[in-house]
């Protein structure tokens, strides 16, 4: 387990670039943490590094956004999921098997469906509110 202190959104983007460089071509990243803790910011860093020019926002209503970069990026946000069965219905198991990198916000809502090779990142906002603490498990 590794803990990183991010002092800015660009620090979080830098961490995303660093982690991306170490990933296999089929990777699953599970992102945990409260609203505003920087999960989407991290995914934006992945997208930027992959050469994706489309803006990456939280796929609030769609649950899934797919982007074509140098490698495909699948961005999933399970915030609105009320039951893991809904993840099955949306084809979650196929999504995590898909080519490229799959990044899942609120991954705890489908915890039992995550594959064994999932890399877990936990985002926290300390009291000061200006930094983010990011722990990485499974590297
Ligand atoms: N070190 C940091 N890393 C990431 N985001 C930060 C940081 N410091 C401040 N922020 C701000 O916090 C917010 C994080 O939002 P977002 O990435 O959408 O969070 P989440 O997806 O976890 O709800 C953004 O407004 C971003 O500018
Ligand atoms: Mg988000």
């Amino acid at each position: 387990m590794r803990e990183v202190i991010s002092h800015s959104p660009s620090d979080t983007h830098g961490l995303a670039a660093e982690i991306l460089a170490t990933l296999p071509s089929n990777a699953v990243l599970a992102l945990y943490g409260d609203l505003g803790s920087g999960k989407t910011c991290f995914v934006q860093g992945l997208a930027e590094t992959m050469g994706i020019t489309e803006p990456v926002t939280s796929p609030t209503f769609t649950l899934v956004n797919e982007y074509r970069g140098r490698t495909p990026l699948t961005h999933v946000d399970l915030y609105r999921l009320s039951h893991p069965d809904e993840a099955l219905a949306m084809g979650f198991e196929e999504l995590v098997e898909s080519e490229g990198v799959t990044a899942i916000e609120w991954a705890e809502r489908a915890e039992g469906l995550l594959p064994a090779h999932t890399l877990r990142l936990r985002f926290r906002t300390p009291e000061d509110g200006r930094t983010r603490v990011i722990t990485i498990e499974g590297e």
Side-chain angles (χ1 to χ4, degrees):
M1 196 179 91
R2 176 159 77 103
E3 185 171 277
V4 175
I5 302 198
S6 163
H7 295 277
S8 65
S10 69
D11 261 9
T12 298
H13 290 179
L15 177 68
E18 187 202 307
I19 288 176
L20 185 65
T22 70
L23 293 177
S25 56
N26 267 310
V28 177
L29 301 177
L31 313 179
Y32 305 87
D34 290 339
L35 279 175
S37 60
K39 302 179 299 298
T40 300
C41 180
F42 181 88
V43 179
Q44 288 162 343
L46 292 175
E48 190 181 282
T49 312
M50 290 171 165
I52 292 162
T53 51
E54 259 178 274
V56 171
T57 54
S58 267
T60 308
F61 295 105
T62 50
L63 294 174
V64 185
N65 280 333
E66 292 184 282
Y67 301 95
R68 295 270 137 199
R70 280 187 290 275
T71 51
L73 172 65
T74 304
H75 182 199
V76 185
D77 189 322
L78 301 179
Y79 183 63
R80 289 178 189 276
L81 202 74
S82 46
H83 195 277
D85 282 353
E86 286 176 41
L88 287 174
M90 76 190 257
F92 187 84
E93 291 167 304
E94 289 73 37
L95 280 179
V96 295
E97 295 298 324
S98 67
E99 180 69 28
V101 174
T102 304
I104 307 154
E105 298 190 42
W106 298 94
E108 61 268 46
R109 311 228 160 149
E111 189 66 40
L113 301 176
L114 297 173
H117 63 277
T118 301
L119 184 69
R120 291 179 165 78
L121 290 97
R122 300 185 194 276
F123 294 74
R124 276 190 299 119
T125 308
E127 292 287 284
D128 68 36
R130 284 176 291 113
T131 61
R132 299 292 185 273
V133 180
I134 303 163
T135 57
I136 304 140
E137 297 167 19
E139 257 181 338

